[in-house]
Amino acid sequence: MIKNFLKGISAHIILLLVCVLSLLPFLWLLSTALKGPGENIFQYPPVFIPQDFTLENFKEVLRLVPIVGYVINSFIVAFFTVILNLIFSAMAAYPLARMEFAGKKIAFFAILATIMVPFQAIMLPVYIITLKLNLVDSYGALAGYIGMILPFAVNAFGIFLLRQAFLSIPKELEESAVVDGCNSWQIFFRILLPMIKPSLAVLAIFTFIGSWGEFLWPSIVLTNEKLFTLPVGINNLQGAFSADYRLIAAGSMISIVPIVIFFVSLQKYFISGANEGAVKG
């Protein structure tokens, strides 16, 4: 009894330490954003609680850069990236999980192999293709948005995640639907997709976070400041020879808020069981 109690205490202490270590960068960022100009943000030992508490850094960020426009641009790109990922990943995962066809395993392993290829390795050919298709902002705002969204419209992680979710669904449900007269599309949309909502939520959250925080690709394909996403726009707070890290921290805190809201709105699906109560014995 005592041994189990000590194990439980040890596990909780370790988890608490991991939680604190994970929160430290966020707390330091928040502390920096709330410190006034009279405080040294690089002092040692570091001080987390601001002595000169102020919200002027957030007001200054809103004054210096059109951050509302950057937020709207990031939301448009992230929203359509998430939607396309959910659609394409689910449509690719369904036949890999539930259908039999020639070359199925080869196709699946070929898709998984792309995980090992970093985007930076294929960035140049993707950029050339984007230019050839006129999907840059010099051809209009719509072309600029499409150019930012399409390279990330689907990925191997999403296909793998949803394939595993489809595999966890009992085949008896699908067979019952066939007996009731459902075709493949009806089974896919009406039965299987609603049952993998937790996996779809996980994919949506990771895709949203990745798209929202993407800096490299938008900074390459965008030249029109009106189309800048939030990470690219916040970079404008840093000058060529100097930077006010209080303003950068404030801008970064503003960029975190939508991610937190998005996660909170989907957390009930994120933590729930995929097939809880789906089949009764």
Side-chain angles (χ1 to χ4, degrees), residues 1-2 9 38 46 56 62 66 89 103 114 117 129 140-142 162 168 178 192 203 223 234 249 258 264 268 276-277:
M1 190 71 177
I2 297 178
I9 291 294
E56 288 299 320
L62 295 174
S89 296
T114 62
V117 182
I129 293 172
L142 180 60
L162 297 189
S168 66
V178 173
L192 298 184
L203 179 59
T223 57
I234 290 176
V264 170
K268 65 177 181 179
E276 184 178 355

Side-chain angles (χ1 to χ4, degrees), residues 24 28 63 89 120 147 166 211 215:
L24 276 178
W28 177 252
R63 186 186 67 82
S89 296
Q120 290 79 1
F166 281 130
S211 178
F215 172 79

